Amino acid sequence: MRSILRGAIILAVGFLILAVAPSARAEKAVPNSSAGTTTYKMSNGMDVILKENHSSPMIASIVFVKSGAKYETEYNNGVTHFLEHLLFDGTATRTQEQISDRIKNLGGYINAFTRKELTGYLSLIPAEYVAEALDIQQDMLFNSIFPDDRFPKERKIVIEEIRKDTDSPDYIAEQFYDTWAYQGSPYARPVLGYENLIATIPRQEVIDYYHTYYQPNNMILLVIGDFKTPAMQRLLEDTFGRHAAQPIPPRATITVPAIKGTLVKFTEAEIPETHVDFQFRLPAYTDPSYLPFSLLTEILNARALSPLQKALTEGEKPLATEVSVSLETQSEFSALHISIKTDSAEKASAILAATGKIVRELPSLNVTADDLQALVTRLRVQDLFLRERLHYYAMMKAPMLVVTGYEFVDQLPDRMSRVSLAEIRQAAGKYLSAENYVATVITPKAQASSDSAATAPAKAATYAKRTLSNGMVAIVKSNPDSRVFGLNVLGKYRSACEPEGATGISDFVNRMLVSGTETRTADQIDRELTAIGGDLTTNDNPYIPYDDHYTTPQFTFIKFGTIDEYAPKGMALLADMLDHSSFPADEVVKTQKQVMGILGMASGSTGQTCRELYLGKMFSGAPYARTIMGSQASVMGFGSDALKKHLHTLYAPKNVIVTCATNLSPDSAFALLENTLGKISEGTPPTVTIQQPSAPAGVVTTHKQMQKEQVYIYLGGLLPGAGNPDAPAIMVANQILSSRLGGELREKQGLAYSVGSSVRFDKDFGWYVCAMGTGKKNYPTAKDGILKEIQRLRDELPSADEVTIAQNSIWGSTLTAQLSRITQAYYMGMDEFIGTGYDRADHLAELVRAVKPADVQRVVKQYFDPANYILATVGNLE
């Protein structure tokens, strides 16, 4: 699948100004049942969905092309994804740079993704620039020319992406599952295709595929954000409406062979843990059973309600470390997918038997009406969370929206609220049979060794800061334009406050906060969170690429969200977890197994391992050199008493910053915080001193040999702290360096799928890293290329335009990262911790826009030194 992070996230802020002449060419728009939503079909056949959302001055435009891997053949598998890359390479009137750089200049974000049933092209832009962004988007979609000189480069990039994913244990398991669950059908094909096909597919074949399927009558356009519907309709007619409908060849009928009997397939691979996957084939979404199965999926994922979770993950010797259930929705069918991970290949047979037994017993499932309603409430609240993140809403809803249509997606929670337990039982009895399923089991190879060892916002916000009666620092951001109540609890000094020999205990405590308190069981916590639609995140998801940007040795985080009416219940629950978590022994063992699985997976990741090597060398012997999750030895040593003690150190009120983004008034919010978190006992706050590391002298290297397709590189050095006057110029310099690395090493030379530079600040120091993954033979060129770009930035004054683009990128990435109130609360806490102030986001644009080209060159010469740096590498360099 194409990365969701094609380039740097870049935004600016503005207001919508639309003055386009009216047009009567479109079919009459039909307001949807969802407030602020209009759906209609343009005269050229393009389906349009308009969703007004005025909580942020941005607009997301996403075009879904009904062209995905399932429409390919065995001879051109991967062409859809390859084409997605190529559409960024230029049109009849715009070069690649004029597409990407212009969007960056406007403070926008442009990206794409490919799935089995669709290809999605999205832009996220300040509202005032939406007209130009839409023009660029339609130009890419309908006027691309595929320059000869760009074609070989994109081949190399896609091949690097394939190699990167084939190193991923989850990708390996997914492909094995798809091969057998969908054998004999196009759904078995990988979205990325195969390296040999991408290396040889003719340019003309790609162009023919493009002209066949990239027509307006084969597309769905979703626009969501800060606009007025009539003006947006006129603008769309002036951009997308200028392209006439064209005949689309009849789609070949896709037949997915029925599952008759039991098919279980085993294989081995270079993975750290065993994956067991089931598929039970179900009717299409048009069948009355689909709604009951949708709710059954939620039940099977709910810890407190799921017989599957209890059978596999509970008890003295649980069979599985992770269990997840999903309902796959396609035009021709739907399918119940059960995905299980375990720490021992020997448990696979027992998992197969236990899962089959649970499925057979689902017709007698017993769940209360209140629990069913709570699950629906959670779905509704989660949908509100998602709508704040405009482009993510489209990406998450894309597959079902293209298959079922918008109205089905929009009405699904309401329709699920009317599903009864009897209907769930009836559907399970009719369609689920443990005698008709496909299961795949992929286990680690026996011989595999473990390698582990600014512009003002649209609506004014009010900030306030107080200290609660127990010493906890509390900060509130109040804004009336959303019902979401977002909160973050920051525990200071994550790594530095960990006892000797207990590395990773802070992360472990966070993972166990939902495992039970003195008055609540884990099931009760799960039920209460479900009933309020609570979104509780205590650690990054290790299975989602790029989802580690919150994780740092500097502090822990607890991100919590609900809606205003449920905030008191949510805060009472969170306070209980922070003050009275009991860390039951059986839950400790279960969490140890989960963490061991993640550590095993991380040990096979070149990127993760390289990050740890780099930090270990940068902060040698100091707390920040410690791994976030600890080691297998330290994790297995954690017990209930030690965890309780550490809870009351890490989250002692005087070691905590709590930040809240809400529509409540500051006084009301502080009263709520005081009556819940303010009642937490004092604990024993740590005494911590963070020493500044020494700058590298010469080239300091560290390497770990791994037999992988890619070599990963981390190259960087020391910076001053967040409060240093040079910090804004360093941020701009880093953004320019990151852009140049991407332009030269990725776009021009095709050496990597992803490459870039990043900075991280603490109070008194910071550090920068240039990171990339590349093939073994490319390593010398890639490393030298990084150093060359650093030297070029030292030698040559960047242009004023380049600085402006970087400034917009920084400000835009800040806006994008803080679209939701939950993440706003997180960044408020982080900024307060590093000393830049909780309202830093409001002033960041002013600070970075004061940076001049000469400032950039000065800080690069002072802090980015191509002769003195740390170089960490992981991979096969022998």
Side-chain angles (χ1 to χ4, degrees), residues 391-429:
H391 54 316
Y392 277 9
Y393 178 85
M395 289 187 286
M396 297 297 290
K397 300 290 186 181
M400 182 177 286
L401 187 149
V402 169
V403 169
T404 68
Y406 175 77
E407 184 176 3
F408 186 93
V409 172
D410 185 54
Q411 295 179 0
L412 186 58
D414 286 339
R415 295 175 66 190
M416 287 173 63
S417 70
R418 298 190 287 273
V419 172
S420 67
L421 178 61
E423 290 173 306
I424 295 173
R425 289 173 169 174
Q426 182 181 15

Side-chain angles (χ1 to χ4, degrees), residues 237-304:
E237 283 291 345
D238 194 55
T239 49
F240 291 95
R242 72 180 69 161
H243 302 283
Q246 300 295 331
I248 303 296
R251 303 281 193 183
T253 300
I254 294 179
T255 302
V256 182
I259 298 175
K260 295 181 180 180
T262 299
L263 175 65
V264 182
K265 288 292 181 178
F266 295 82
T267 193
E268 293 183 343
E270 297 283 357
I271 60 173
E273 57 187 340
T274 295
H275 294 242
V276 182
D277 289 87
F278 288 80
Q279 180 173 117
F280 295 86
R281 193 72 51 74
L282 303 173
Y285 71 95
T286 52
D287 190 273
S289 66
Y290 183 87
L291 291 173
F293 278 120
S294 294
L295 197 50
L296 177 60
T297 302
E298 297 298 321
I299 294 170
L300 294 178
N301 279 318
R303 169 175 176 155

Side-chain angles (χ1 to χ4, degrees), residues 543-561:
Y543 305 109
I544 300 179
Y546 309 107
D547 190 43
D548 61 354
H549 51 284
Y550 300 114
T551 300
T552 171
Q554 298 162 280
F555 53 81
T556 59
F557 62 87
I558 301 171
K559 296 186 293 182
F560 174 76

